[in-house]
């Protein structure tokens, strides 16, 4: 009985100590950490009374952009684990001279630091000493800050726990640090919409946990890193709108988990490697506006999960591939502004999900043998304009199914495919025939017509002469 009473007393004492740690202002947070938070918020927000209004930001006076967790070891203090400022928190706004205070280093338990649209007027840069001891930081997001200038500091690679690094839509300049390859825990890297230059470092291939890599809308140069194929977890690669040159490395086909591959608006050349047929999970293949000047690779018809394929303005030559039912998820196909020849395959209608088809401004020819129901379903999402060799059936032309067909009626059109030699424009038919007839035939027709007229005159003379005699 005495031992039970002793246990209860001990429990009550321990409970009272924990309660004091959680409820008492002095014990709620460590002093240095609390003052550090006040400094950080004062440097960011246009509210000089923020500290007074939120003296206990982890408990009694919370603020939606600050989150805390209770420590795992005694004494059980609260620790700031997240600071978020964005459009979802309108009050108070960021101050005009907003900056990142070095007191951020006092928040050693910080896991997430995200700032959206805060640095808009007063120029600031990322200090190399800012990230030295933030060993717990997992998410660093500085996005849509037009007055965030300067280079990406090399010390950012010391954030060994970082899983998400987003520095998009700022005004960062300079090269991507090669040291970034040391961030082996990183899962998402987004440096899009900046003014970064130089080459994409080969060391990116060392980031074995990377799933998202977005470097689009910069001025990056050089060739695609061949080490991308080492990233077996990589799902999204977006290098669009840069100045990348050379050929697509064959090793890229080893990135088996890729779902999106966007290399549009660069200066890439040469044939597209057949090794990309290994991208069996690929859903979005976007290569627009690169001077490939090659044929459409046959392997695209083997990418069974493909939803979007876009090769607009790539200088493609040759004929369209024989699209078939394995591409049952393909909903958008853009092959416009190329030099493709031959006919439009009628089996395009066998693609059950196709909802957008752009074949405009090529050199396609022959009769358009797509069913009226297919053409009506796509409407404006079907575009074959700018192919001077195409024509349609009289039925389609009369019904004016779509202005985006913009092709004249085929001569002797039918529902069956015809050879190119049997197709002609009806509105040029008369002049076309005259221009292509042999000269002797046209002279013979003229001679026959003259002879016919002479015979009529002779008959009339005989008739009148008979009347005169009788």
């Amino acid at each position: 009985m005495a031992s039970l009473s002793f246990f209860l007393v001990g429990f009550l004492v321990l409970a009272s100590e924990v309660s004091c740690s959680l409820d008492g202002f002095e014990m709620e947070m460590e002093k240095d950490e609390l003052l550090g938070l006040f400094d950080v918020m004062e440097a960011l927000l246009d509210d000089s009374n923020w500290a007074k209004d939120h003296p206990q930001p982890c408990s009694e006076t919370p603020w939606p952009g600050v989150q805390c967790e209770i420590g795992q070891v005694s004494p059980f203090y609260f620790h700031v684990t997240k600071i978020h400022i964005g459009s979802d928190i309108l009050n108070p706004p960021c101050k005009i001279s907003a900056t990142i205070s070095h007191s951020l280093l006092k928040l050693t338990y910080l896991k997430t630091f995200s700032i959206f649209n805060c640095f808009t007027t007063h120029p600031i840069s990322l200090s190399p000493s800012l990230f030295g001891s933030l060993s717990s930081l997992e998410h660093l997001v500085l996005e849509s800050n037009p007055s965030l200038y300067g280079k990406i500091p090399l010390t950012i690679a010391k954030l060994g726990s970082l899983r998400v690094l987003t520095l998009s839509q700022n005004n960062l300049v300079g090269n991507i640090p090669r040291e970034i390859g040391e961030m082996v825990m990183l899962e998402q890297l987004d440096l899009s919409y900046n003014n970064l230059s130089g080459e994409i470092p080969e060391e990116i291939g060392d980031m074995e946990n990377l799933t998202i890599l977005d470097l689009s809308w910069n001025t990056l140069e050089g060739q695609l890193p061949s080490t991308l194929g080492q990233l077996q977890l990589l799902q999204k690669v977006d290098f669009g709108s840069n100045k990348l040159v050379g050929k697509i490395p064959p090793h890229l086909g080893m990135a088996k988990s890729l779902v999106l591959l966007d290399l549009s608006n660069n200066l890439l050349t040469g044939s597209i490697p057949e090794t990309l047929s290994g991208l069996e999970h690929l859903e979005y293949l976007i290569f627009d506006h690169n001077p490939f000047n090659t044929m459409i690779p046959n392997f695209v018809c083997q990418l069974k999960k493909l939803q979007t394929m876009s090769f607009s303005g790539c200088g493609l030559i040759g004929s369209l591939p024989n699209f078939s039912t394995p591409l049952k998820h393909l909903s958008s196909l853009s092959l416009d502004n190329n030099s493709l020849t031959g006919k439009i395959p009628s089996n395009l209608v066998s693609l059950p999900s196709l909802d957008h088809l752009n074949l405009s401004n090529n050199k396609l020819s022959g009769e358009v043998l797509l069913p009226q129901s297919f053409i009506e379903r796509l409407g404006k999402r079907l575009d074959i304009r700018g192919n001077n060799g195409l024509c349609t059936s009289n039925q389609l032309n009369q019904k004016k199914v779509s202005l985006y067909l913009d092709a004249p009626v085929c001569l002797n059109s039918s529902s069956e495919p015809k050879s190119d030699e049997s197709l002609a424009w009806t509105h040029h038919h008369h002049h076309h025939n005259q221009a292509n007839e042999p000269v002797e035939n046209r002279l013979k027709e003229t001679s026959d017509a003259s002879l016919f007229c002479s015979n009529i005159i002779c008959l009339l003379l005989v008739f009148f002469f008979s009347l005169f005699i009788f």
Side-chain angles (χ1 to χ4, degrees), residues 286-391:
I286 305 171
F287 283 2
D288 298 335
H289 305 295
N290 282 284
F292 289 117
N293 299 322
T294 186
M295 301 179 69
I296 301 174
N298 290 324
F299 72 80
V300 296
C301 296
Q302 304 171 24
L303 302 175
K304 296 181 180 180
K305 294 189 177 182
L306 202 61
Q307 297 183 25
T308 296
M309 183 171 73
S310 191
F311 281 87
S312 303
C314 289
L316 296 179
I317 57 175
S319 58
L320 294 168
N322 188 24
F323 294 100
S324 55
T325 48
L327 294 175
K328 61 182 180 180
H329 301 293
L330 188 65
S331 61
S332 179
L333 177 60
S334 298
L335 301 172
D336 54 287
N337 292 285
N338 287 292
S339 297
L340 297 170
T341 56
K343 297 180 179 180
I344 298 176
S346 58
N347 64 351
L348 281 170
V349 299
S350 68
L351 302 176
S353 301
L354 193 61
D355 193 54
H356 175 269
L357 176 61
N358 191 348
L359 302 175
S360 62
N361 299 310
N362 278 285
K363 299 178 181 179
L364 300 172
S365 59
E367 183 175 351
V368 179
L369 296 175
L370 301 173
Q372 181 177 333
S373 58
F374 176 84
I375 295 171
E376 289 177 341
R377 179 170 65 83
L378 267 62
K380 292 181 179 180
R381 299 185 303 279
L382 169 63
D383 194 346
I384 63 170
R385 295 173 296 178
N387 289 281
N388 295 329
L390 287 178
C391 59

Side-chain angles (χ1 to χ4, degrees), residues 43-45 85-86 93-99 115-122 143-147:
L44 290 170
L45 300 178
I85 296 174
C94 291
K95 60 171 59 175
I96 294 177
S97 59
T99 187
I115 308 293
F116 293 81
N117 198 33
C118 186
F119 312 121
T120 59
T121 306
H122 181 69
E143 185 171 334
S144 300
N145 297 286
S147 64

Side-chain angles (χ1 to χ4, degrees), residues 131-316:
F131 309 104
S133 60
L134 294 176
S135 59
S136 299
L137 197 64
E138 297 178 357
H139 294 77
L140 176 58
V141 181
L142 304 174
E143 185 171 334
S144 300
N145 297 286
S147 64
L148 179 57
Y149 293 90
K151 297 182 178 182
I152 300 173
L154 304 182
T155 53
I156 207 165
K158 295 182 179 181
L159 300 175
S161 299
L162 205 64
R163 294 191 291 115
V164 175
L165 175 58
T166 298
L167 302 176
S168 65
Q169 300 179 55
N170 299 303
N171 266 306
L172 299 174
V173 298
N175 296 346
I176 299 173
R178 295 189 178 278
E179 289 78 3
I180 208 166
E182 300 172 11
M183 306 176 74
V184 293
M185 298 298 293
L186 202 66
E187 298 173 9
Q188 300 180 22
L189 176 60
D190 186 353
L191 305 179
S192 61
Y193 290 90
N194 281 287
N195 295 307
L196 299 173
S197 56
E199 298 185 357
I200 301 173
E202 292 280 342
E203 286 78 1
I204 278 182
D206 298 330
M207 305 167 75
E208 57 187 20
N209 288 299
L210 205 61
T211 61
I212 294 177
L213 177 57
D214 192 344
L215 307 179
S216 61
W217 292 94
N218 283 284
T219 55
L220 298 171
E221 301 173 336
Q223 300 189 6
L224 295 171
S226 59
T227 55
L228 287 175
Q230 300 172 191
L231 303 176
Q232 295 300 300
L233 302 180
L234 196 60
Q235 297 179 23
K236 172 186 175 181
V237 170
D238 190 349
F239 292 166
S241 300
N242 281 286
K243 297 181 179 179
L244 301 172
V245 299
K247 296 183 177 182
I248 298 174
H251 290 92
L252 184 58
M254 298 174 62
K256 302 292 186 180
S257 299
L258 268 182
V259 174
L260 182 147
L261 179 58
D262 188 343
L263 304 177
S264 61
N265 296 291
N266 280 287
L267 300 170
L268 301 173
T269 57
S271 59
I272 299 164
E274 290 289 331
T275 53
L276 297 190
S277 62
L279 304 178
E280 55 188 24
H281 296 288
L282 198 66
E283 297 179 10
Y284 302 92
L285 180 62
I286 305 171
F287 283 2
D288 298 335
H289 305 295
N290 282 284
F292 289 117
N293 299 322
T294 186
M295 301 179 69
I296 301 174
N298 290 324
F299 72 80
V300 296
C301 296
Q302 304 171 24
L303 302 175
K304 296 181 180 180
K305 294 189 177 182
L306 202 61
Q307 297 183 25
T308 296
M309 183 171 73
S310 191
F311 281 87
S312 303
C314 289
L316 296 179

